[in-house]
Amino acid sequence: MSLVMAISNCNGIVISADRRVTRDPVGGNSSLLLTDNERKLFVTKSGHAIATVGSGVLKNMKSSSCLIKEVIDEMPSDMLIGDELITIRNTLADNVFDDAYIILIGAGFDNGEQKVLSISLKSEPPVAATDALGYGLIYRGDDTELQEIFKLFPVDAAYYPIQEMVEYLKFLNRTVAGFQKYSKHLQSISEKCDVLVIRKSGVEWETTPKWL
């Protein structure tokens, strides 16, 4: 399933995505780990982040991440986040299995306005995942353990500086992956994740993205 998280506040946006791809259990068999090195977080020519969770394999056996990268490479440099998400969603919808489940998250600045949006294969248009200012703590994907963490240890990330936002998201990803590892839950999240920092001045990778 994967896990994507983002914190958006007055200091900017930090977004993370894990790297694991699994095949769902079939016929009573256990899930199969395909790789811990898939890239699920991308940067568009407009300086926006695009992240994906959900089905990783398409009908032509190409990975969804590979197709997303190809679509992004063809996009112009002046697109709005919402238009980017719709373009990618439409391309994925033409290539997925009927029961596929994919959510796309887009984050960045449009004409100075801070935004984090999400869209699924069946939803239209993209919906805001933040408050009116574009601020909030956002997560999509396999978030069962994450919700329990927030219930026990609520936080207010509204004034976190960028470095603390980065460290907190890496900690959450590592912690959720650890809970999955030592429990009977489906181990769908890798311990390592890619992290991207977005400010009005530009974007910067906090971790080196993986790409096969």
Side-chain angles (χ1 to χ4, degrees):
M1 170 66 78
S2 309
L3 179 63
V4 169
M5 299 177 287
I7 299 175
S8 178
N9 65 20
C10 58
N11 294 304
I13 304 169
V14 177
I15 183 168
S16 69
D18 86 300
R19 302 171 180 169
R20 178 164 292 178
V21 177
T22 57
R23 188 178 69 186
D24 292 338
V26 177
N29 296 324
S30 300
S31 63
L32 176 66
L33 172 62
L34 299 181
T35 180
D36 258 347
N37 294 288
E38 185 70 291
R39 183 174 172 186
K40 306 175 188 177
L41 179 59
F42 309 89
V43 179
T44 70
K45 296 173 185 174
S46 301
H48 303 141
I50 301 290
T52 178
V53 299
S55 304
V57 180
L58 306 177
K59 287 189 291 187
N60 60 3
M61 301 312 294
K62 179 182 291 187
S63 74
S64 56
S65 293
C66 183
L67 182 58
I68 290 170
K69 179 65 165 56
E70 291 176 358
V71 176
I72 288 175
D73 286 344
E74 297 298 322
M75 286 180 174
S77 60
D78 57 352
M79 292 185 73
L80 300 177
I81 300 172
D83 293 335
E84 292 172 332
L85 289 174
I86 291 173
T87 299
I88 296 171
R89 189 278 309 275
N90 289 346
T91 303
L92 287 170
D94 291 335
N95 290 274
V96 297
F97 292 102
D98 292 339
D99 59 349
Y101 173 82
I102 296 177
I103 295 179
L104 299 170
I105 299 89
F109 291 86
D110 278 342
N111 301 318
E113 186 178 350
Q114 195 163 323
K115 293 182 178 180
V116 181
L117 307 176
S118 68
I119 189 171
S120 70
L121 289 175
K122 298 181 180 180
S123 68
E124 188 176 354
V127 296
T130 56
D131 62 19
L133 295 175
Y135 299 166
L137 172 60
I138 304 98
Y139 49 92
R140 297 288 187 273
D142 198 349
D143 58 8
T144 302
E145 295 88 358
L146 191 63
Q147 292 188 43
E148 293 300 319
I149 292 172
F150 289 150
K151 289 179 183 178
L152 292 172
F153 306 102
V155 300
D156 182 1
Y159 299 101
Y160 276 12
I162 290 292
Q163 187 60 45
E164 195 158 358
M165 294 159 71
V166 168
E167 295 301 327
Y168 185 52
L169 291 187
K170 290 168 68 176
F171 163 76
L172 288 175
N173 189 96
R174 186 172 62 249
T175 300
V176 170
F179 277 130
Q180 290 187 347
K181 180 178 179 179
Y182 294 107
S183 70
K184 294 182 180 180
H185 290 190
L186 175 65
Q187 296 181 35
S188 60
I189 299 168
S190 63
E191 293 187 11
K192 293 184 178 181
C193 60
D194 293 315
V195 181
L196 184 70
V197 176
I198 310 171
R199 301 183 179 94
K200 285 186 177 180
S201 57
V203 299
E204 179 181 357
W205 287 103
E206 198 280 335
T207 56
T208 303
K210 300 263 185 168
W211 181 247
L212 298 180

